[in-house]
């Protein structure tokens, strides 16, 4: 037995097509069952009905395409219609999608119906051949390869071989070097923010400097550093680190000593950027002073140093030390630690 | 002068136009030889073989609609102020990417439809690949010679996820921007190189102005290009190996039974493309997807609640959500295990299923080709492993939507998280045990059917008053179907000592293999199929109830 034949399981080799006498082996493969005719194969009237059904489907498809073009021309793009149960939707989108869908679907349905009712449905068998080559072929290939390798003198001339490997190994370095200008080096970028001593806190929604009395009990106020404007070129990069949230907590309810020291009359300012992977925190529960990040539900306790009390975040929210000058809230210093998700050099 | 011209001159004016064109092409491309091998190629029929087709067709739909979208989409993060026809957004600052997505949705007639078809087709594409992969897995279609094609398919699935993710990010809306921020956090969590990678990938600090154009190239060129290559290779291999078939009368490991490519399969498969396209078009007509105008443009300090990625990212999302926030600080460095572990587990779970074919063939010690599909019950350990894998996958999908479960079913996030954490480890084990039991039960039932026939539903009263149900014997076709599967012997370690009485050194891998092999094919893990002798003894009269 050759190697390739071994590759095919031999169990079924006895099971040739055609009936095997039942008495010998009742489990033997009885072979392909005889083909059964459909009505369409014997009754030309039934076949004609199928033909008409297929043609009808193709005809519907043509009409649907015409309707598609008509809708495209006739329906204004901003027309909104009420369609039950979908609600108020774009009339054009609805009409185009439906007509295109019907046009396509009917082609498919026609083709499949044609195949199922009119094309021959007789099952036939094809032979398989082992994928692996016959031993002679393999021997020939190996010999050819040996010839080629010998003629190249690749194995004999080691100097050529080694220098070629060296050259091929080095040349991709050029490509790697070229990637250097994809971006700047991190340097201190991830550690710095726009906050430093003396920068005023500006209300995100009104764009006015915040006074202590603006911070109401029970709500989150969002702030940005004074001087950062939405029209700035780098606004997004800056706000991604500088975004701040403020809440007012009864000072006696602040559990963390440093938090109390960095607050002003119970007003505390925390980075709004979640320390997990950087989503902005947006939900505040006033009884517990918990804030929740909507992305992966990390929960922080703003009355206890921004400690993580639930969820995948790995460390507390950074607090900004604030004070009041001339009646306005301002930073008493920059953030003491990097804001946002942690990174290797964060420490 | 070539043969072709002589042939045509000889029959000038006689050969039909089509034939002359074919002759021309054959003289240059050799199409007749190609057609000889393939035109009447046999394809077996089964509903589950259409799953791969759905994936193929949705990929084609994605490419067609994607190319259309590139005609209007501006992959730029330059800031603009909106003045287009969607009035509620007037005066709002946004990137050109977002603006052009609004433009496609509100100013290009049919643009919204194409956008929605593109997105719906992406969801269908990934779902179809996943279900197709499961079909291949549970029927053992990945066995020799198809292991390489299994890997191609697996790569398509993984690349499909990334293509989907990068596409989802392109419109630069609040939801997708949040997803990109997530990627930034993941990159930063990489030890040693994280912050460098982050700067290089984003071209500076998050979000910068480069990420959308870079994702665009990846989304429309790099990944689809690779996928197209893999897809063609995948299909060539399907044709080359010839399709597997389910067991049945007349079907052997050496043949393939079905209908020819021309005309039946061509009509069915070609028609099926239009069916899939038609259905997706109708879905896009009636079901809105990713209405970016309701979400708004991305700003790093804003977020919408209930943020959810597309379903195929739910598994990774779940891992990230339920992982405890472990972080380790030492010598001025931080390792963020809370993010790092999920993104390592994610590929590991995927790789576990990818390498499975190689593990199984090693355990079985089998080097033969297999073209007859397994019925899942006949390979209980494999089936149980597959179900366990699926359970792990879907448990994490629940974790990925923990906030939705919480709000819809009024559960606490905390309990859902703990449920997912425990179920991720316990669920697969229970599923494994249960599936194996069920498979063995089904094998037992098959055996009963073979030996005692099928319950006919007819009740007969015996002379002494007892009622019995008449059992109908199976015909040969059914007997063959229920007994054709192989039941391999577990691999043996051989004697402990060799012929000279010296203790043989067994490698640990050999021991492991013998152990696994027993878990697959050992006594407790298979119901021996009925033998011809058993059958004959029972049917010759003694076996009656
Ligand atoms: C192969 C798998 C692909 C998948 C899974 C995929 C998936 C997606 C998804 C989910 C979106 C978001 C659409 C939205 O809701 O706005 C998208 C956007 C987009 N895709 Fe693809 N896509 C694929 C291939 C392609 C190809 C081949 C092209 C072009 C040649 C393309 C071009 C685009 C463009 C231009 C957009 C942005 C348009 C917009 O957001 O309005 N995609 N893709
Ligand atoms: S980003 Fe806040 S929990 Fe993940």
């Amino acid at each position: 037995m050759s190697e390739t034949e071994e590759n095919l399981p031999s169990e079924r080799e006895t099971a040739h097509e055609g009936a095997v006498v039942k008495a010998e082996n009742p489990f033997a493969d009885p072979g392909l069952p005889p083909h059964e005719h459909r009505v369409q194969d014997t009754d030309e009237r039934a076949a004609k009905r199928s033909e008409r059904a297929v043609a009808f489907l193709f005809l519907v498809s043509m009409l649907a395409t015409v309707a598609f073009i008509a809708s495209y021309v006739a329906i204004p793009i901003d027309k909104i219609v009420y369609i039950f149960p979908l609600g108020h939707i774009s009339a054009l989108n609805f009409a185009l999608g439906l007509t295109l869908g019907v046009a396509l679907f009917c082609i498919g349905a026609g083709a499949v119906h044609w195949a199922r009712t009119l094309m021959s449905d007789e099952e036939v068998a094809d032979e398989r051949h082992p994928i692996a080559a016959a031993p002679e072929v393999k021997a020939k290939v190996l010999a050819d390869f040996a010839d080629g390798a010998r003629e190249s003198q690749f194995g004999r001339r080691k100097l050529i071989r080694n220098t070629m490997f060296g050259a091929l190994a080095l040349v991709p370095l050029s490509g790697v070097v070229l990637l250097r200008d994809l971006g700047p080096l991190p340097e201190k970028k991830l550690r710095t923010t726009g906050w430093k001593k003396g920068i005023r806190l500006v209300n995100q929604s009104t764009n006015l400097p915040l006074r202590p009395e603006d911070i109401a009990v029970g709500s989150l106020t969002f702030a940005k550093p004074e001087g950062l404007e939405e029209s700035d070129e780098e606004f997004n990069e800056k706000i991604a680190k500088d975004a701040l949230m403020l809440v007012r907590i009864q000072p006696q309810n602040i559990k963390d000593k440093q938090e109390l020291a960095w607050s002003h009359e119970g007003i505390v300012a925390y980075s709004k950027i979640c320390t997990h992977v950087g989503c902005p925190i947006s939900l505040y529960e006033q009884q517990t002073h918990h804030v929740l990040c909507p992305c992966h539900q990390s929960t922080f306790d703003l009355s206890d140093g921004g400690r993580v009390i639930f969820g995948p975040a790995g460390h507390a929210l950074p607090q900004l030390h604030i004070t009041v000058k001339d009646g306005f809230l301002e930073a008493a210093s920059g953030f003491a630690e990097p804001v946002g998700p942690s990174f290797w050099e964060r420490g | 002068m070539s043969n072709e011209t002589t042939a045509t001159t000889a029959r000038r004016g006689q050969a039909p136009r089509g034939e002359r064109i074919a002759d021309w092409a054959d003289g240059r491309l050799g199409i007749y030889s190609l057609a000889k091998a393939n035109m009447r190629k046999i394809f077996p029929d089964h509903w589950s073989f259409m799953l791969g087709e759905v994936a193929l067709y949705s990929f084609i739909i994605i490419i067609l609609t994607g190319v259309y979208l590139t005609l209007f989409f501006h992959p730029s993060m330059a800031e603009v102020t909106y003045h287009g026809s969607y009035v509620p957004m007037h005066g709002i600052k946004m990137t050109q990417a977002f603006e052009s997505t609004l433009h496609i949705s509100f100013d290009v007639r049919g643009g919204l439809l194409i956008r929605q078809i593109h997105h719906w087709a992406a969801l269908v594409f990934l779902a179809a690949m996943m279900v197709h992969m499961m079909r291949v897995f549970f029927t053992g279609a990945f066995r020799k010679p198809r292991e390489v094609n299994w890997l191609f398919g697996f790569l398509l699935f993984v690349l499909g996820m990334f293509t989907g993710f990068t596409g989802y990010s392109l419109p630069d809306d609040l939801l997708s921007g949040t997803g990109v921020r997530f990627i930034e956090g993941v990159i930063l969590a990489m030890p040693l190189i994280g912050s460098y990678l982050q700067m290089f990938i984003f071209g500076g600090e998050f979000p910068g102005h480069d990420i959308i154009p870079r994702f665009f190239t990846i989304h429309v060129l790099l990944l689809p290009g690779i996928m197209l290559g893999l897809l063609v290779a995948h299909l060539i291999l399907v044709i080359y190996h010839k399709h597997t078939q389910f067991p049945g009368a007349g079907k052997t490991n050496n043949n393939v039974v079905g209908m020819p490519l021309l005309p039946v399969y061509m009509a069915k498969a070609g028609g099926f493309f239009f069916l899939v396209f038609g259905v997706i078009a109708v879905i896009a007509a009636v079901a809105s997807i990713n209405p970016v105008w309701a979400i708004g443009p991305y700003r790093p300090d804003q977020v919408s609640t209930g943020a959810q990625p597309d379903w195929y990212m739910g598994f990774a999302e779940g891992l990230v959500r339920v992982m405890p926030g472990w972080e380790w600080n030492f010598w001025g460095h931080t390792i963020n295990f809370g993010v790092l572990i999920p993104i390592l587990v994610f590929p590991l779970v995927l790789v576990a299923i990818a390498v499975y074919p190689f593990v199984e063939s090693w355990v079985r010690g089998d080097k033969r080709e297999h073209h007859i599909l397994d019925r899942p019950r006949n390979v209980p350990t494999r089936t149980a492993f597959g179900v366990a894998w699926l359970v792990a996958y879907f448990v994490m999908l629940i974790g990925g939507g923990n906030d939705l479960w919480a709000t819809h079913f009024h559960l606490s996030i905390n309990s859902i998280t703990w449920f997912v954490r425990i179920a991720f480890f316990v669920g697969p084990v229970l599923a494994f045990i249960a599936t194996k039991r069920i498979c063995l039960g089904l094998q037992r039932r098959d055996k009963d059917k073979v030996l005692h026939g099928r319950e006919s539903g007819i009740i007969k009263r015996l002379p002494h008053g007892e009622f019995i149900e008449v059992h109908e014997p199976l015909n040969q076709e059914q007997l063959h179907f229920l007994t054709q599967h192989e039941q391999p012997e577990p691999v043996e370690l051989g004697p402990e000592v060799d012929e000279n009485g010296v203790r043989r050194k067994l490698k640990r891998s050999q021991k492991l293999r013998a152990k696994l092999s027993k878990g697959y094919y050992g006594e407790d893990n298979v119901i021996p199929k009925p033998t011809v002798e058993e059958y004959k003894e029972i049917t010759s009269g003694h076996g009656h109830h």
Side-chain angles (χ1 to χ4, degrees), chain A residues 233-249:
Chain A
E233 173 76 1
E234 308 255 275
F235 176 77
N236 274 342
E237 291 71 40
K238 295 233 164 72
I239 199 71
K241 294 191 298 186
D242 295 353
L244 215 59
M245 59 185 166
L246 291 109
V247 289
R248 190 187 276 277
I249 305 174

Side-chain angles (χ1 to χ4, degrees), chain B residues 503-542:
Chain B
R503 268 188 85 83
R504 287 193 319 145
K505 258 224 188 104
L506 287 172
K507 275 195 265 161
R508 208 179 291 156
S509 64
Q510 281 172 313
K511 285 190 197 157
L512 176 69
R513 181 172 166 216
K515 215 171 185 173
L516 285 174
S517 181
K518 217 152 134 210
Y520 268 82
Y521 314 113
E523 273 171 52
D524 305 335
N525 299 305
V526 66
I527 305 295
K529 60 182 184 182
T531 61
V532 174
E533 290 70 39
E534 278 176 289
Y535 178 79
K536 283 190 176 157
E537 185 167 326
I538 287 178
T539 44
S540 62
H542 312 292

Side-chain angles (χ1 to χ4, degrees), chain B residues 372-545:
Chain B
I372 296 276
L373 294 171
D374 285 322
R375 299 173 72 215
R377 68 186 59 177
N378 288 334
V379 197
T381 305
R382 176 205 296 152
T383 305
F385 176 80
V387 173
W389 189 85
L390 280 177
V391 166
Y393 190 93
F394 283 99
V395 162
M396 274 307 156
L397 227 50
I398 294 179
N402 60 358
D403 51 339
L404 297 186
W405 292 92
T407 46
H408 284 290
F409 298 99
H410 306 287
L411 300 165
S412 94
I413 286 267
N414 196 25
S415 37
I416 296 172
T417 302
W418 273 104
F419 166 77
V420 170
R421 282 177 186 169
I422 296 169
F424 182 64
F425 293 100
V426 177
V429 176
L430 294 181
F432 187 91
I433 297 170
T435 309
K436 210 156 168 173
R437 289 248 175 116
I438 294 172
C439 287
L440 292 177
L442 289 171
Q443 281 190 25
R444 231 173 262 126
R445 217 176 67 181
D446 284 352
K447 184 172 184 168
D448 260 15
K449 257 204 230 165
V450 169
L451 294 180
H452 306 294
R454 185 171 4 99
E455 289 159 12
S456 61
I458 302 169
I459 306 290
K460 202 166 89 174
R461 194 174 174 200
L462 295 182
H464 52 274
E466 189 196 345
F467 286 97
I468 59 157
E469 186 175 6
V470 178
H471 282 222
E472 240 174 67
L474 302 184
N475 62 27
Q476 192 178 351
E477 216 170 280
Q478 292 158 331
L479 288 175
H480 170 70
F481 179 70
L482 293 177
T483 55
Q484 50 73 39
H485 55 288
E486 293 180 0
Q487 294 192 319
E489 293 291 314
V491 288
E492 294 293 338
L493 276 178
E496 292 258 311
V497 287
D498 67 12
E499 56 269 30
N500 303 325
V502 181
R503 268 188 85 83
R504 287 193 319 145
K505 258 224 188 104
L506 287 172
K507 275 195 265 161
R508 208 179 291 156
S509 64
Q510 281 172 313
K511 285 190 197 157
L512 176 69
R513 181 172 166 216
K515 215 171 185 173
L516 285 174
S517 181
K518 217 152 134 210
Y520 268 82
Y521 314 113
E523 273 171 52
D524 305 335
N525 299 305
V526 66
I527 305 295
K529 60 182 184 182
T531 61
V532 174
E533 290 70 39
E534 278 176 289
Y535 178 79
K536 283 190 176 157
E537 185 167 326
I538 287 178
T539 44
S540 62
H542 312 292
H544 272 298
H545 291 272

Side-chain angles (χ1 to χ4, degrees), chain B residues 64-96:
Chain B
L64 291 175
T65 51
V67 170
Y68 182 85
L69 289 175
T70 60
L71 304 178
F72 301 99
F73 181 70
H74 301 298
S76 157
M77 294 175 92
E79 300 273 349
V80 290
T81 310
Y82 186 69
H83 296 298
S85 35
Y86 185 63
V87 179
M89 289 249 154
H90 271 191
I92 291 186
K93 261 191 54 174
M94 55 183 66
T95 57
Q96 274 190 7

Side-chain angles (χ1 to χ4, degrees), chain A residues 274-281 293-300 311-313, chain B residues 182 320:
Chain A
C274 182
T275 60
H276 179 226
V277 289
C279 278
I281 289 164
C293 174
C295 284
H296 316 104
Q297 290 81 40
S298 286
T299 311
F300 304 86
Chain B
F182 166 76
V320 166

